Structure formats: C-alpha cells, structure tokens
Amino acid sequence: MRTSIATVSLSGSLTEKLTAASRAGFDGVEIFENDLLASPLGPEEIRARCADLGLRVDLYQPMRDIEAVPAPEFARNLRRARHKFELMRRLGADTVLVCSSVSPLAEDDDALAAEQLSRLADLAQDHGIRVAYEALAWGRHVSTYEHAWHIVETADHPALGTCLDSFHILSRGGDPKGIEDIPGEKIFFLQLADAPLLAMDVLQWSRHYRCFPGQGGFDVAGLVRHVLRTGYDGPLSLEVFNDVFRQAEAGPTAVDARRSLLLLQETVGLAALPAPVVPTGVAFAELVTPDAEPVTAVLGALGFARTARHRGKPVDLWQRGEARVLVNTAGAARKDGTRLAAIGLESPDPAAAARRAEALLAPVLPRRRAPGDTPLDAVAAPDGTELFLCATDRPGLPSWRADFETVESAQDTADGFRVDHLALTQPWHHFDEATLFHRSVLGLRPQQSVDVADPYGLLRSRAVTNADGSVRIALTVGAAPTDDRVHAQHLALATDDVVTAARRFREAGGSLLPIPANYYDDLAARHDLTDAELETYRDLGILYDQDAHGAFRHCYTRTVGRVFFELLQRDGGYRGYGAPNAPVRLAAQHTGRGLTGG
C-alpha cells in the first residue's frame, strides 16, 4: 500500500521536507498550503521537484470554512476555490482536503451543506479534481466522521468523498466500526496520527501533541483495519502537528515517520517484515571515557574486577557476578567525560535481529574489525547509543568475549549482582522516536510514561522491557533542548542485599550520594519501618518504595562524567523503578554536581 506524509509534519523549507520524505521511502506527500505559499518555487517547479524525487502529490490542503454559509459568502468561497483548483492543476494534485467549517457564519443545515459541497464538487470536477470532506473534531456543526459522511452521501456527487482522520475520530472517543458502512470508493483519503492520552482542549491537543502511530495511546491500527474492510485502496498518510517534530531535523523525523508506518502495516497485515527477536538479557554496558581512573575506582569499590582486555583495542572488561562493564578509552573527548556509549543485548538470533532492525530503517553500524575479531551486528538507537546484538558463550554462535584475553577470574559473588536496568537520557526531540524504536526494532514493551519533578524543570520517563524484566531500559527526556547534556545516564545494578553492598562500597572508598534527613522523616510517616531500618537507610543514603507486588531499596554513587551507578534490591516482585524517590535523587545530584571528575 502506498505511503504518504503531510509536509506540515516535518521541519524546514518545502524543498527540505520533500527531500526528507523521499529519502525515508515515502511514495507521496500532502502539500500543506502554508508550505507552498512560503516556497520560492512555483507550482510547476514543485511538481517537477516531486517527480525527480519519486513523490506523488497526493493531496493539497486545506480549504476551510466552505460549506453551509450564506449565499454571498459561498460565492466568495467558489471564487477562492476556482483559484486553488487552477493552482492544483499546475501542482499536479488531484485531491483537495475540505475541513468542516468553524466559521461563525456557518449554519446548522445539513441540506445546505450538501448542496454547497455538491456545487463545489461540480467546479472541482471541471478541473479534474476530487473533494475530500473531513470532519474536524472541533467543527462548528460537523465534528464526527458519521456526520460528514451523511452530508457527502446526501450530496451524492462523484467528485465528492470523505477524508477520515484518526485523530479527529479517536480524540472524541468515536467508534471507528461505523467506518465499515462507508463504501471504500467514497473514502478519498486517510490521514493517520496518534497522540498521548491527555485531558485538554481538543484543538490544542491536535495542534501540539499529535505523534506518529505507535507513539501514543490511540488504537490507530484498529481504525485502519476498519478502513481496509471497506475496500479503501488509497495511501496511508501521516498528518502530525507536533511542536517537537517541527523543531527537529526533517531527515530523522521522516525516517521515524516511515518506521511508524512500517510497523503499522505489519500490525494490520499489509507488510511482512522479519519477525521480532526480543533480547533476553544484558550482555554488557560499555562506558567510553578519556580517563579510566575515576570510573574504574568506582567499579573497584563496587566489587568489580578487571577480568579481561580486548586483544587489539584499549577496552577492559570489568565483571562482578553476571554484571559486565566495558571501559573503553579509545577516542573519547575530554569535554564529554565518561558516558554510556553502547549496550550489548543478548539475542537468541543476532543475525535475525539485525535483519529486523534493517527492515525498520535502523542505522546498521559499520565496524572496523581486525582479522579474527568476532563479527557482531550493531545498530544505532535514536540517541546515538550503539546496540550490539550478541551472544555470550552460547554453542554455535560467535561470542563477543572471544575478542578478550583473560586477565583474572571474575569474583564468585553470592549476592546476585546483575544489570537491572539502564537509564538513557534522550535528546529533547527523540523521546517519542526512541520509544517507537525500542518497541518496533527490539520488540520491547513500553511501560506507562511518568513525569518526575526536577529542581529546574520536569523530566518525562518511560521504560521499555522484555516480558520477564531481564532487559529494562528507562528512556528519559527533560523539558528543554539542552537537558540531555544536563541529566546523567545511569547503570542500575541489582543485588540480593543492597545494605551489605552499600556498606562494602563505602568501606572500599566509594562515595554514596547523600540524601537529606527530611526524606527519612517523611519515610517514617509513609511506611511502617523499624527505627533500626530507618537509621541504616539514613546512614547509607538508601531510598525506599513499595508497590502492590513488593518493596524496593536503592542508593546511588556520585556521578562520574555523565554516568552514575545505582545499587538496588527488588523484593517480592516489585515492578517499578523508585519513581517517587526520583525528585529527591535529582535534587541531591544538583546539590553535589561537580564533585567528581571523569
């Protein structure tokens, strides 16, 4: 099925938008009127540019406040339409979007609306153009797709059909099942957008918070299934109004948009992609640093041992229990400090996982390998983190550890050290893209998004996990474009006894993040903890939380560069990440910022 995108969904000039859409693999575009008006290119030049890029102009939009108006006003509307239809002929567009009127002049008269839309369709037909009538969710008198279809059906004109828009239907809580009563040939166009589930004015919701299918809370796939049952064979087109997307680079946004449609097509049975290969664990986390000493000092205090070194690169493997950390001193800029640059994900079939990633437009990373190095597939996440698809010591599959020479044996710890989760701070404009990427490419399940108060703003966080929680990645974004440089990444290490682990870390010279005494006074009021427990937590800076499944105890190291470590203990099946404690942790980190190097 053909795919299209509205130019309003992308940033930049019209030429930049068209180029981005073409490079991402779209078949066509909806040209938004404001983009054309602001372009230095004439309609014929834009038409030629689209042809050169392999794009069809699927829709010109919008025409507003046309129908159900007094006769003098409608005469002016026809004059305006005549000019637009001539422009569309020069542009090479054969379908125009007409939105249901919001004009105070519009009358609540379906018969008048049908009669005037029929006259508009007469004029459009003379120019070889079709009119797609769409119900705006905030339309003055017509605000549902059922009402818009009733008017189109009453008009009964071959050049008049309806346009269905998933946002306008689903934002009002409409039932899309009734779409199946519309003949497919009378659905002239289908526009798709998702959105987070918000309680706000629908116009503001539409203008600022739409996102690509799979990134919000609407059942867009369910709506598309109903449309397909009508026999509709036009394009699947994205129309997304989003403040963040409009400020991001057009190229990556277009790729994100195309990925969303690929996943949607797979979901509704229109496309066969390589099956998802869900990762089964974390093989390693790789820290890149210009100075290994500060981070290895923290690892040593945490009980990690340097167990191996890469044969040809300045990369050391540090290990404790099942937790493995690579420390890489190659190519790191001092200004960036220590950062979490790569994650090794255990995969039951790395090659198949890579094929899935490539089919969903994930950048496959080239690797410079010395002869004899283990071949590893890697893709780039939207924030630039390298994701290695690998196997660790599994028969029949190359192991990444074959590239390392043993230095000493890993400690045989009895406290169950393992990677619990990794927290990655996303660039401001990549949060929704990151969620969709990890869901579609890796098959991870997005959890509910949460907002966390920071002393200087608000953070938004969303975890993606596999079914058993052996892979957990927390994606976080701040409220401002520079927040990804302000907020640190972190590596959370699970243990069976966080109190003992914290004490040993401190006894080994490690420095734990101090937590204000006020927190523990409040903790005593909120939870039934003994005085001894409270005193221990206060002494070590351990925070505490409960959910319906169990308890959670956790504490933090000081930050090294852009990275800190979390020690945690999950009891009784606790499923969260200690979100109620995040504001306290963030405030403590702001207070202590600048105390460490690396």
Side-chain angles (χ1 to χ4, degrees), residues 277-281 283-284 342-358 362-365 367 374-380 386-392 394 397-400 437 441-444:
V277 181
V278 182
T280 57
F284 61 81
I343 302 170
L345 295 172
E346 293 284 358
S347 175
D349 189 342
R355 289 194 293 272
R356 168 80 176 181
E358 192 167 8
V364 177
L365 298 174
R367 292 193 65 223
T374 302
L376 288 180
D377 293 299
V379 298
E386 297 182 2
L387 302 176
F388 287 91
L389 308 168
C390 53
T392 302
R394 293 211 305 276
L397 292 174
S399 174
W400 61 273
F437 175 93
V441 174
L442 300 178
L444 299 178

Side-chain angles (χ1 to χ4, degrees), residues 301 500-510:
T500 298
R503 281 182 175 148
R504 288 178 177 172
F505 174 71
R506 195 168 65 178
E507 289 166 359

Side-chain angles (χ1 to χ4, degrees), residues 132-145:
Y133 182 55
E134 172 188 66
L136 294 178
W138 54 91
R140 183 171 177 82
H141 300 298
V142 179
S143 57
T144 68
Y145 78 89

Side-chain angles (χ1 to χ4, degrees), residues 135-139 143-145 166-175 202 205 218:
L136 294 178
W138 54 91
S143 57
T144 68
Y145 78 89
S166 64
F167 180 86
H168 293 303
I169 296 169
L170 299 176
S171 65
R172 293 180 55 90
D175 184 355
V202 69
W205 191 11
F218 291 163

Side-chain angles (χ1 to χ4, degrees), residues 240-269:
V240 171
F241 298 84
N242 185 294
D243 294 343
V244 174
F245 294 174
R246 294 277 292 180
Q247 297 178 61
E249 290 183 43
T253 302
V255 170
D256 183 31
R258 182 83 173 97
R259 181 181 297 127
S260 77
L261 279 186
L262 287 169
L263 182 63
L264 178 66
Q265 289 174 299
E266 179 186 47
T267 303
V268 301

Side-chain angles (χ1 to χ4, degrees), residues 84-103:
K84 295 304 178 185
F85 294 157
E86 177 58 28
L87 181 147
M88 289 175 61
R89 184 191 62 77
R90 297 166 61 199
L91 188 63
D94 64 3
T95 306
V96 64
L97 177 69
V98 174
C99 303
S100 62
S101 181
V102 298
S103 170

Side-chain angles (χ1 to χ4, degrees), residues 20 26 52 57 66 110 160 188 231 243 248 287 421 429 487 492 524 576:
F26 283 95
D52 289 344
V57 181
I66 294 291
D110 287 359
L160 178 66
F188 282 2
D243 294 343
L287 303 178
H421 66 274
H429 51 283
H487 297 289

